[in-house]
């Protein structure tokens, strides 16, 4: 018994919700720094305010993955999470440009990112649920195309509203321009409708059908049950390392966001101790113990890809945080967040992000034949090297139009980042564990973002406070490391 091969509309319906989710992410990525700066945030403090996004993903995605694997109702397995996240994200998008202050804006960013993650995480597993192994590269490529298209619309929204509909693009100090506010409202509506489309046009396979398909799928990994441990393992070392980092903040005068790194390590160690105690008390089926057991039992391919993801997303997060101040300063020659030139530059960042997303949409369709020709691993290495080149070019390019070429290279990387790791990973995971392992895999997306958010402010302040373009040099180097790490993945993966 094999999963039916999906036609064009089957692939469309399975992934169309991601179109709306990515509109939300694109509005967030292209405009959150702008919103914070409009409320008076200094460049050196941007990374700290962005902490809400990765921290939320770090907590939410494994939990959602764990429970979506175990959910079954008349509404399906993954679809209830799609819809719940979409409702919350819609409300957050409407509220964020009307926050009225930094604290409210940071809290709404937290809600927005959590809600988007609630919808997004099960979508990754959904492709694995619905498609046979041989069709998954095409399935994830189709998803990438929708991600790119949604990102184009989300990134361009303020620019289009200004240029086509003459919506105001500047606002008094402490307020968000109308072009951004209306862009968020339109994005909220688009997100909800797109996710609702997938919810209403797809029918999920039952747990019994999934199990039957997995038995006949030669390309699918065999299930191996992860057993929660009664041992605390390296918990004392994690706690000690976290305590040293917390103490070092005071000793070395580090920025306070570094406290989060230390606190996170301490929390991870304590979680292992609590889990061991629960298991010894006969409560091994709790979510915490199961998630930690699955983390410890990660397949080898997943571990190798995790390192690739760690470097990749460190570079991407640097780009999302610092592109607006870099372009405003080097291309539009201003650091005044209330000036017309700064807002023109911020709109151009939306164009740049739309270009890399648009290129990703087109390049996604080239990925399946390219992967068949040179292999999935080598296809991804090529994409990562293109991204590193695009980041490095920011050091020498100061012309707004020429930067479009830089972002085209980033777009090639973006298409591969959203497709190839998941196509490789899905075959290495047991079918009944796709949700939890996709959620755990995303730890290695959000963990580097948390680290970047914690330390980049200090790096900028100490080493290049007057020229943040050097953050792109760091991004290029880290993306190059991701390409090198990809060599550890099997050639025929």
């Amino acid at each position: 018994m094999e999963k039916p091969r999906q036609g064009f509309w089957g692939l469309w319906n399975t992934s169309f919700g991601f179109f709306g989710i990515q509109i939300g992410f694109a509005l967030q990525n292209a405009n959150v720094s702008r919103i914070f700066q409009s409320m008076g945030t200094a460049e050196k403090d941007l990374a700290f305010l962005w902490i809400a996004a990765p921290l939320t993903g770090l907590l939410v995605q494994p939990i959602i993955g764990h429970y979506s694997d175990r959910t079954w109702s008349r509404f399906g397995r993954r679809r209830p999470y799609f819809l719940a996240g979409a409702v919350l994200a819609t409300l957050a998008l409407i509220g964020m440009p009307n926050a009225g202050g930094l604290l409210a804006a940071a809290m709404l960013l937290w809600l927005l990112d959590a809600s988007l993650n609630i919808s997004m995480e099960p979508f990754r597993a959904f492709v694995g649920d619905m498609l046979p192994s041989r069709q998954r590269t095409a399935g994830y490529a189709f998803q990438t195309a929708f991600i790119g298209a949604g990102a184009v619309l989300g990134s361009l929204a303020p620019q289009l509203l200004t240029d086509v509909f003459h919506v105001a693009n500047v606002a008094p100090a402490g307020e968000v321009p109308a072009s951004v506010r209306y862009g968020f409202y339109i994005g909220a509506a688009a997100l909800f409708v797109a996710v609702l489309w997938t919810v209403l046009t797809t029918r999920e396979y039952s747990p019994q059908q999934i199990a039957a398909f997995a038995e006949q799928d030669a390309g699918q990994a065999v299930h191996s049950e992860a057993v929660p441990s009664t041992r605390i393992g390296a918990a004392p070392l994690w706690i000690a390392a976290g305590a040293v980092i917390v103490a070092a903040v005071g000793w070395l005068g580090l920025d306070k966001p570094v406290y989060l790194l230390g606190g996170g390590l301490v929390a991870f160690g304590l979680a292992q101790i609590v889990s061991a105690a629960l298991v010894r008390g006969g409560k091994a089926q709790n979510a915490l113990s199961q998630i930690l057991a699955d983390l410890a039992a990660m397949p080898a391919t997943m571990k190798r890809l995790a390192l690739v993801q760690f470097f990749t997303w460190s570079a991407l997060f640097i780009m999302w945080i610092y592109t607006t101040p870099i372009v405003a300063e080097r291309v539009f020659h201003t650091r005044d967040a209330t000036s017309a030139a700064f807002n023109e530059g911020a709109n151009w960042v939306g164009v740049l992000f739309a270009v890399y997303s648009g290129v990703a949409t087109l390049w996604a369709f080239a990925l399946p034949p390219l992967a068949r020709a040179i292999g999935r691993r080598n296809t991804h290495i090529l994409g990562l090297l293109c991204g590193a080149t695009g980041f490095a070019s920011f050091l020498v390019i100061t012309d707004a139009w020429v930067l479009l070429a830089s972002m085209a290279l980033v777009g090639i990387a973006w298409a591969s980042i959203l497709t190839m790791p998941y196509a490789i990973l899905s075959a290495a995971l047991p079918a009944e564990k796709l949700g939890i392992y996709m959620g755990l895999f995303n730890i290695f997306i959000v963990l580097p973002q948390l680290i970047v958010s914690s330390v980049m402010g200090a790096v900028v302040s100490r080493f290049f406070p007057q020229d943040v373009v050097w953050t792109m040099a760091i991004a290029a180097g880290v993306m190059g490391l991701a390409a090198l790490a990809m060599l550890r993945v099997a050639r025929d993966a």
Side-chain angles (χ1 to χ4, degrees):
M1 185 178 181
E2 185 179 24
K3 290 178 188 174
R5 184 178 178 85
Q6 297 287 336
F8 174 85
W9 286 109
L11 293 171
W12 176 289
N13 293 338
T14 298
S15 294
F16 186 66
F18 232 125
F19 172 71
I21 293 171
Q22 195 58 37
I23 288 176
F25 272 120
L27 285 165
Q28 171 183 297
N29 292 338
N31 294 285
V32 164
S33 287
R34 178 181 186 176
I35 290 172
F36 286 151
Q37 287 186 277
S38 296
M39 295 177 180
T41 304
E43 288 176 0
K44 66 181 181 64
D45 296 325
L46 287 175
F48 175 66
L49 289 172
W50 272 81
I51 281 176
L55 184 60
T56 303
L58 185 66
L59 298 172
V60 168
Q61 292 195 25
I63 294 171
I64 295 300
H66 172 82
Y67 283 109
S68 72
D69 280 341
R70 289 160 170 76
T71 296
W72 183 254
S73 69
R74 63 192 184 94
F75 300 109
R77 186 186 195 188
R78 316 288 183 189
R79 290 179 299 165
Y81 296 92
F82 300 164
L83 189 58
V87 171
L88 293 173
T90 297
L91 296 174
L93 283 169
I94 293 171
M96 190 162 190
N98 300 295
L102 280 176
L103 178 59
M107 291 178 66
L108 283 165
L109 173 60
W110 195 304
L111 174 62
L112 175 59
D113 204 83
S115 305
L116 292 172
N117 277 293
I118 289 170
S119 283
M120 182 193 73
E121 197 284 329
F123 259 106
R124 293 297 191 190
F126 194 52
V127 170
D129 290 345
M130 301 298 293
L131 301 181
S133 180
R134 67 181 185 276
Q135 203 179 11
R136 286 180 191 163
T137 299
Y140 285 113
F142 215 97
Q143 196 173 84
T144 296
F146 275 127
I147 291 171
V152 169
L153 291 181
S155 298
L156 282 178
Q159 184 81 50
L160 291 175
L161 288 169
T162 298
D163 292 348
V164 178
F165 299 100
H166 309 294
V167 177
N169 193 45
V170 294
E175 296 184 19
V176 176
S179 59
V180 176
R181 285 191 289 108
Y182 294 152
F184 271 60
Y185 299 159
I186 294 170
L191 185 153
F192 183 77
V193 170
V195 172
L196 188 62
W197 178 284
T198 290
V199 169
L200 295 177
T201 60
T202 56
R203 186 177 67 85
E204 297 183 68
Y205 297 118
S206 69
Q208 294 77 17
Q209 289 174 304
I210 292 287
F213 290 142
E215 289 178 3
Q216 300 298 321
D217 190 348
Q220 191 68 49
V222 177
H223 173 57
S224 179
E225 186 64 38
V227 180
S229 177
T230 58
R231 301 174 60 185
I232 62 173
L237 295 178
W238 289 111
I239 294 171
V244 168
I245 291 175
V246 169
V249 176
W251 294 340
L252 303 177
L254 302 178
D255 281 1
K256 288 184 174 56
V258 182
Y259 278 126
L260 289 172
L261 287 179
L265 296 179
V266 171
F268 182 63
L270 291 175
Q272 290 179 300
I273 292 173
V274 170
S275 172
L278 289 171
V279 175
R280 286 194 297 269
K283 299 177 181 178
Q285 297 304 309
N286 68 88
L288 175 62
S289 298
Q290 291 292 328
I291 290 172
L292 290 176
D294 287 326
L295 179 62
M298 284 192 302
T301 297
M302 182 174 170
K303 292 178 182 178
R304 296 184 181 116
L305 285 170
L307 182 61
V308 177
Q309 294 292 83
F310 181 87
F311 289 133
T312 298
W313 287 84
S314 295
L316 290 170
F317 206 57
I318 291 170
M319 177 190 72
W320 289 329
I321 293 173
Y322 291 106
T323 300
T324 294
I326 289 170
V327 171
E329 181 177 347
R330 287 174 59 84
V331 180
F332 291 85
H333 311 294
T334 183
R335 301 179 75 171
D336 180 3
T338 64
S339 68
F342 181 92
N343 284 284
E344 186 181 355
N347 273 6
W348 190 252
V349 171
V351 174
L352 294 176
F353 283 13
V355 166
Y356 88 69
S357 299
V359 169
T361 301
L362 300 175
W363 190 252
F365 294 106
L367 289 174
L370 184 60
R372 287 194 294 270
I374 67 174
R376 290 170 172 172
R377 185 194 74 168
N378 292 338
T379 297
H380 195 41
I381 290 172
L382 175 64
L384 293 172
L385 291 176
C386 286
T389 303
F391 292 146
S393 68
F394 271 74
L395 298 172
V396 296
I397 296 174
T398 58
D399 182 276
W401 291 98
V402 180
L403 282 176
L404 297 176
S406 302
M407 299 311 283
L409 290 171
V410 174
I412 292 173
W414 185 232
S416 188
I417 290 164
L418 295 175
T419 303
M420 303 316 301
Y422 297 98
I424 295 169
L425 181 64
S426 63
L429 301 178
E432 59 270 50
K433 291 280 189 176
L434 281 177
I436 179 57
Y437 276 125
M438 287 294 181
L440 290 172
F441 192 55
N442 282 320
I443 287 177
F444 303 98
I445 292 175
V446 300
L447 183 60
Q449 295 177 44
L450 179 59
I451 293 173
V452 167
S453 296
S454 298
V455 305
M456 279 305 294
V459 171
V460 170
S461 296
R462 289 183 177 229
F463 296 105
F464 29 82
Q466 301 302 317
D467 199 357
V468 291
V469 71
W470 290 103
T471 57
M472 285 297 189
I474 297 174
V478 174
M479 189 70 88
L481 291 175
L484 287 174
M486 195 65 197
L487 292 172
R488 299 176 64 244
V489 177
R491 184 185 295 272
D492 58 351

